[in-house]
Amino acid sequence: MNNKLPYFTLIILWFWISNAIPGKGLPLSTNSRWIVDENGNRVKLACVNWGAHLQPMTTEGLHRQPLDVITKKIVSMGFNCVRFTWPTYLMTNDSMANVTVRSSFKRIGAEMDDAIAGIQAFNPSIIDLPIIEAFKAVLANLQQNNVMVILDNHLTVPGWCCSSSDGNGFFGDEFFDPNVWIEGWSRMATLSKNFSNVVGMSLRNELRGPKQNASVWYREMQRGAETVHAINPNALVILSGLKYDKTFSFLHDKWLNISFTRKLVFEVHHYGVTDGQNWKNNSPDEMCARTLNSMKWDSLFLIDKGYPLFFSEFGAPEAGDNINDNRFMNCFLSMLAEYDLDWNLWTLFGSYYIRQGTVDLEESYGLLNRNWSDIRNTSFLQRIQAIQPPFRGPGQTNQTHKMIFHPLTGYCIKSSNNTLQLSPCNKTDGWNYTNHTITLTNQQKLNCIQAFGEGKPVTLSQDCGSGIQGSSWNTTSRTKMQLSTNIGSKNTIQTVCLDIDSSNTIVSNKCKCVGKGSPSCDPASQWFKLVDSNRGN
C-alpha cells in the first residue's frame, strides 16, 4: 500500500490552511446551527481523536514518535481539531496525576519497560514530567501547531471505555460521583484557560447503563454546563445524550434550563456496530434510510431547533474488509455531507501502550499504523478529507449550488471535455438540479448531464429538457441517492442510473438493487448525494 501523501491530500491541506487556521478567530461561539469564529464566519470542526484516558494516563503514541511529529501529522492530514480524551482522576486523584510519566508506567508492571524506553528515546523531555504536566505539554504543542482542542471527559477511572457495567456509565454509578465529576471539571476548566486553542469541553462520554434517566441527566448536565461556563466562558460547552450518546429524544418533551447563550453544542455517536450486524444482513438502501430516519428523531432535529450537532465519534476498521462497517460508512458519509455537520473521527491511535491487559495492542480503526509513522489506508483518509472543509454556512459567500458527492470514493463529479469524472471535491463543478435536469452553474449555454446507453459514458449536452431521452433525472430508491433516467426507443425504454467505471469515469448502468433489495446487493457505486454548497472551489 502506498502511504505517501498524494496530490489530493496536498490540495485539501492548502484549502484547510487558507480557510480555517485556528487562533485567528478564537474563541468560538454559535450562530443558530453553526459554530462560528469571533468574526461570525463558519468554523467547521473536523477533528480526530487522541488522548490520555487509558491506564497510564499518558498521551498515546509518545513511545513511537516525537510529540511534534505526531501533531504535524494531524495537520498534514487536514484535521483542524483534536478531541482530547481524559479521565476524571487526572484532575481529582493527586496520587495518580502527580507521579511522573515514568512512575505511572512502572507501577503497571515490567511489561511497560518497552514503552518507557520508547518515550525516553522519542520524548525525553516528557518521560520524567508529572502526568498532569505531560498533559499540558501536549496541549501546548497542539496550540503551537494551530490545532484546536475539544477536551472530552471520557470516563472516571483511567482505562478502556465502555460497557454498561463498568461503573463509569451514569451519575451515581460506583465510579461516577457527580460531585467528584464537578470538581474534576472545575479544575480542568481552570487549566483550559491557559490554552487558547481549547475551544470546547465535552462534559461526558457515552452516558449509559441501568441507572440512566432523563431527570438526572437534566439536573447534572445543566449543573456541569453552568460550572464549566462560569470558569471558562470562552469555551463551547458540549452535551452528550443517553444510550451511549445515541439519543436526545427526551428533549422533544422538555428543553434545557441554561443561563448562557451562543455556547451550547450537542454531540452524538454512531458506528456500524451501533446497529449490530444489520448493515450486513439487510438491504443497504433500506438500512440507510431507516438509520437516517432514526437519527432525525434522535438527534438531527436539534439542527432545526438552532443548535450545532457534533458527531463526536464515528469510524470503521481501516482494512476495508468488513461488509457491515463498509456499508455503514457509505451511508454515514453521505449524511455528514448532506447536513454539513461538525465531526470527530475515531481515531488517530495506531496502537495503545496497554488496553484491557494487552500490551502494544494495534487499533484497527486507527488512521496511523502500529508505529504511528504512516497513514494506514490512504483511500480511507481520502474519503474523510472530502468532508473536512465546510460546504456552506456563515462566511461562505458564493452562489448556492449543488455538489454531486460520491461517498464510496470521497470524490465529486467534475466535467472534463464534456465527459464526467470523479475528482477531489474542492476542485469540482457546481451544479443545478431543477425540473429533473442537472446542469452546470458556470456555463452561459445550458449544459446538462445526459445518458446514452448502458455502460456508456455520461456526457454534457445542450439537448436538455423533460422530453429528451436520458436528460431527465430522478432521485431513486429510499435513500434518494441513485440518480436514474430513461433511455431507448418508445418500445424499449430502459431505466439506468449514474455509476462509475474502473477509471472513475461517470457512466450509466442498470440500476442496482431496485425495489426492496437483497442483503447481498450493494448499490454503493451508484450512490451520489446532491449536497447544497456555497463554498468556492
Side-chain angles (χ1 to χ4, degrees), residues 380-396:
F380 184 92
L381 177 61
Q382 170 187 306
R383 299 171 72 192
I384 299 301
Q385 289 175 325
I387 58 171
Q388 285 175 337
F391 291 102
R392 59 190 186 275
Q396 304 287 325

Side-chain angles (χ1 to χ4, degrees), residues 286-506:
E286 291 286 324
M287 189 62 197
C288 185
R290 189 189 315 160
T291 300
L292 293 178
N293 282 335
S294 295
M295 286 181 178
K296 289 176 182 178
W297 174 255
D298 286 330
S299 59
L300 290 172
F301 74 93
L302 293 164
I303 296 172
D304 296 329
K305 291 183 74 70
Y307 291 90
L309 184 63
F310 176 41
F311 266 87
S312 58
E313 276 193 32
F314 76 98
E318 294 201 20
D321 56 1
N322 187 302
I323 293 174
N324 198 69
D325 288 288
N326 291 346
R327 290 177 172 182
F328 160 75
M329 285 295 289
N330 292 333
C331 175
F332 192 75
L333 290 177
S334 74
M335 185 274 295
L336 290 180
E338 178 183 10
Y339 289 93
D340 198 13
L341 297 167
D342 301 275
W343 50 264
N344 169 76
L345 177 71
W346 185 276
T347 182
L348 179 70
F349 302 175
S351 57
Y352 299 89
Y353 300 122
I354 183 170
R355 174 179 145 184
Q356 296 171 293
T358 300
V359 175
D360 196 32
L361 180 68
E362 188 167 9
E363 173 57 85
S364 62
Y365 284 61
L367 275 176
L368 299 180
N369 64 9
R370 188 177 203 137
N371 289 325
W372 294 65
S373 58
D374 286 306
I375 298 165
R376 187 181 299 270
N377 185 332
T378 55
S379 296
F380 184 92
L381 177 61
Q382 170 187 306
R383 299 171 72 192
I384 299 301
Q385 289 175 325
I387 58 171
Q388 285 175 337
F391 291 102
R392 59 190 186 275
Q396 304 287 325
T397 58
N398 289 278
Q399 180 182 358
T400 300
H401 57 273
K402 301 285 188 184
M403 297 173 68
I404 309 177
F405 175 60
H406 189 244
L408 179 64
T409 60
Y411 282 141
C412 291
I413 292 182
K414 180 178 176 61
S415 60
S416 176
N417 298 321
N418 285 337
T419 62
L420 303 178
Q421 298 281 336
L422 290 179
S423 174
C425 290
N426 64 312
K427 292 295 182 180
T428 188
D429 290 315
W431 303 89
N432 290 322
Y433 181 58
T434 307
N435 297 324
H436 302 286
T437 303
I438 305 173
T439 57
L440 278 170
T441 59
N442 59 352
Q443 300 292 319
Q444 292 182 350
K445 293 183 179 180
L446 191 63
N447 280 271
C448 66
I449 293 178
Q450 188 171 18
F452 293 94
E454 187 173 346
K456 294 182 179 179
V458 174
T459 67
L460 290 178
S461 172
Q462 296 183 29
D463 194 12
C464 309
S466 59
I468 305 300
Q469 288 283 316
S471 66
S472 180
W473 295 89
N474 296 301
T475 52
T476 305
S477 76
R478 285 195 62 192
T479 58
K480 306 298 183 185
M481 282 198 284
Q482 284 170 281
L483 296 170
S484 67
T485 189
N486 293 328
I487 58 173
S489 62
K490 183 176 181 180
N491 296 323
T492 59
I493 295 293
Q494 182 184 11
T495 300
V496 293
C497 285
L498 288 188
D499 205 339
I500 60 170
D501 68 10
S502 58
S503 63
N504 281 348
T505 297
I506 306 301

